[in-house]
């Protein structure tokens, strides 16, 4: 059992909910804050059911520094896992100021309040988007960052830089930055999963909505890339593997590690067509798709070199492509309208 209370910001979101479960299972006490702009209270009720434990949940926006300060007075946190932020690439191009205010402003508020309360242990949810267009593959942690193609990616990059500067200025800080590749799948119970608001931005939730009959077909943006089948290649990783990575990062923090950066990926690239075919197999029906033109800003291939996390965190992704697709399909069929579905319907066998 582990001691200490971990504050999880954005804990009602996709990766946040799965990570809360793993933290509770590992013996941590957890407090969740979320502003519920892109998340649902229902997701955390389901987390409590899965864990068999009550979790203190506060509706706080990180841009409200006073509310954050009040929370730190109520609870003695030993560390913070920071997921909260806006994350739609397209929207970030339309609303850059909002993204800078929420993601960067929210983070600097959090860091200031942590500092004021002498809580100097932090895990940050970053993204492989900080690498921009790959100069070489696979991407390791030493690959240059900052050539981001959209404001969302830039916010992740700027926050990483802020954290590096903070760490240099005060060696008491222990910060682990986790750069995830493409989280997919869902909890094996089928009770929680990714619940995009409106049209999904990501391939796999879109596949699931086509298979369940909510959408007609999926657009495949470009089939003339320099890849084995011409469609874009990405490193997809099961969300439960990512969640377990956060527990490993929390244990690293407890060693007083200073600033560390790790990729969380499988190291295996799959193409868009690989994913559509694997998902069709899991769903037992073909997912309809249509080939269209390339999207600006998309790169042909990107996948991780995850060796450093294996070596230093003792962490490795263990769930394969079939498990990712089966778990996503279970979530989608049990919850066709996401967390707005009345309650999960047991899957017919």
């Amino acid at each position: 059992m582990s001691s200490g209370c971990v504050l999880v910001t954005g804990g009602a979101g996709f990766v946040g909910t799965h990570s809360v479960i793993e933290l509770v299972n590992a013996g941590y006490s957890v407090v969740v804050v979320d502003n519920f702009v892109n998340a649902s209270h229902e997701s955390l009720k389901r987390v409590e059911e899965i864990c068999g434990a009550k979790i203190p949940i506060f509706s706080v926006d990180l841009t409200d520094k006073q509310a954050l300060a009040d929370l730190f007075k109520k609870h003695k946190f030993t560390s913070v896992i920071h997921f909260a932020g806006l994350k739609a690439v397209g929207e970030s191009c339309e609303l850059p100021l909002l993204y800078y205010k929420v993601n960067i402003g929210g983070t600097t508020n959090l860091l200031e309040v942590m500092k004021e309360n002498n809580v100097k242990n932090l895990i940050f949810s970053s993204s492989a988007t900080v690498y921009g267009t790959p100069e070489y593959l696979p991407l390791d942690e030493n690959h240059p960052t900052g050539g981001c193609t959209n404001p969302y990616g830039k916010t992740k990059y700027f926050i990483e830089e802020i954290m590096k500067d903070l760490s240099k200025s005060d060696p008491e800080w222990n910060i682990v930055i986790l750069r995830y590749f493409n989280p997919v799948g869902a909890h094996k119970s089928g009770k929680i999963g990714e619940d995009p608001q409106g049209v999904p931005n990501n391939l796999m939730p879109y596949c699931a909505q086509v298979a369940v009959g909510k959408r007609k077909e999926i657009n495949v943006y470009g089939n003339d890339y320099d890849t084995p089948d011409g469609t874009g290649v990405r490193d997809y990783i099961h969300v439960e593997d990512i969640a377990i990575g956060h527990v490993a990062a929390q244990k690293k923090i407890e060693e007083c590690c200073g600033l560390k950066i790790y990729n969380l990926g499988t190291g295996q690239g799959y193409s868009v067509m690989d994913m559509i075919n694997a998902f069709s197999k899991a769903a037992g029906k073909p997912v309809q798709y249509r080939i269209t033109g390339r999207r600006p800003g998309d790169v042909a291939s990107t996948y991780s070199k995850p060796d450093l996390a294996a070596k230093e965190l003792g962490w490795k992704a263990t769930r394969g492509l079939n498990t990712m697709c089966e778990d996503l399909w279970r979530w989608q069929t049990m919850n066709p309208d996401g967390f707005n579905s009345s309650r999960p319907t047991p899957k017919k066998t």
Side-chain angles (χ1 to χ4, degrees):
M1 289 288 280
S2 303
S3 61
C5 184
V6 181
L7 173 64
V8 179
T9 76
F14 177 41
V15 181
T17 46
H18 289 81
S19 298
V20 167
I21 291 167
E22 296 304 330
L23 287 161
V24 171
N25 288 346
Y28 292 95
S29 62
V30 173
V31 171
V32 169
V33 298
D34 205 296
N35 67 359
F36 297 99
V37 165
N38 286 318
S40 133
H41 290 272
E42 177 66 25
S43 68
L44 289 166
K45 285 188 195 140
R46 307 264 186 101
V47 167
E48 289 180 327
E49 282 172 26
I50 291 164
C51 293
K54 286 295 284 176
I55 295 164
I57 299 156
F58 296 91
S59 187
V60 170
D61 192 307
L62 299 191
T63 58
D64 183 348
K65 191 176 173 188
Q66 189 54 53
L68 206 50
D70 293 345
L71 185 69
F72 272 75
K73 288 192 180 70
K74 278 192 201 124
H75 294 268
K76 186 151 179 48
F77 300 118
T78 47
S79 66
V80 176
I81 302 183
H82 179 33
F83 294 105
L86 297 171
K87 63 169 196 175
V89 168
E91 183 185 59
S92 78
C93 296
E94 291 158 26
L95 301 169
L97 279 180
L98 179 67
Y99 271 67
Y100 290 125
K101 178 182 170 185
V102 171
N103 292 6
I104 297 176
T107 300
T108 53
N109 280 348
L110 176 65
L111 293 170
E112 284 170 358
V113 173
M114 287 176 70
K115 186 180 171 189
E116 284 156 17
N117 289 273
N118 205 34
V119 180
K120 294 183 176 179
N121 298 315
L122 177 68
I123 296 165
F124 175 55
S125 156
S126 192
S127 162
T129 189
V130 299
Y131 294 122
T133 303
E135 292 176 13
Y136 59 84
L137 290 170
L139 291 164
D140 60 25
E141 291 82 357
N142 295 320
H143 184 285
T145 55
C148 307
T149 53
N150 56 74
Y152 160 71
K154 287 177 191 171
T155 66
K156 291 292 187 190
Y157 167 66
F158 293 151
I159 292 166
E160 284 196 5
E161 293 299 301
I162 290 166
M163 289 177 178
K164 287 177 191 173
D165 290 341
L166 180 60
S167 169
K168 275 189 201 127
S169 74
D170 180 355
E172 286 183 6
W173 280 86
N174 299 300
I175 300 172
V176 173
I177 291 170
L178 298 175
R179 293 175 179 157
Y180 334 142
F181 281 70
N182 295 62
V184 295
H187 191 267
K188 59 186 176 291
S189 66
K191 287 185 176 178
I192 63 167
E194 190 168 8
D195 185 17
Q197 312 295 305
V199 180
N201 290 304
N202 297 330
L203 171 66
M204 295 313 283
Y206 209 110
C207 274
Q209 291 193 6
V210 171
V212 88
K214 285 186 78 172
R215 300 192 185 276
K216 180 173 161 253
E217 61 187 6
I218 185 155
N219 288 324
V220 175
Y221 296 106
N223 65 346
D224 56 353
Y225 285 104
D226 183 14
T227 60
D229 64 18
T231 63
V233 167
R234 299 291 179 269
D235 186 338
Y236 296 92
I237 173 168
H238 198 298
V239 65
E240 288 195 293
D241 280 328
I242 284 194
I244 291 162
H246 287 77
V247 177
Q250 177 60 32
K251 295 199 180 333
K252 189 73 182 170
I253 287 272
E254 289 159 16
E255 297 170 10
C256 299
C257 61
L259 179 103
K260 297 283 184 182
I261 300 174
Y262 301 105
N263 284 336
L264 293 188
T266 64
Q268 166 77 55
Y270 289 108
S271 74
V272 172
M273 289 314 304
D274 288 335
M275 300 307 283
I276 289 174
N277 292 335
F279 194 79
S280 298
K281 184 179 152 205
K285 60 177 101 166
V287 171
Q288 300 299 319
Y289 65 90
R290 188 165 62 97
I291 306 287
T292 64
R294 293 184 181 192
R295 265 187 317 200
D298 275 355
V299 299
S301 286
T302 176
Y303 50 92
S304 70
K305 185 171 185 176
D307 304 32
L308 193 65
K311 184 171 159 234
E312 295 192 10
L313 297 179
W315 171 91
K316 212 176 197 150
T318 62
R319 292 157 181 80
L321 183 55
N322 291 339
T323 306
M324 296 177 207
C325 292
E326 286 159 13
D327 289 348
L328 172 55
W329 182 235
R330 185 182 304 112
W331 152 252
Q332 185 71 65
T333 48
M334 287 170 66
N335 304 272
D337 296 313
F339 291 113
N340 293 328
S341 313
S342 47
R343 286 307 270 176
T345 47
K347 193 177 179 194
K348 295 180 179 69
T349 48

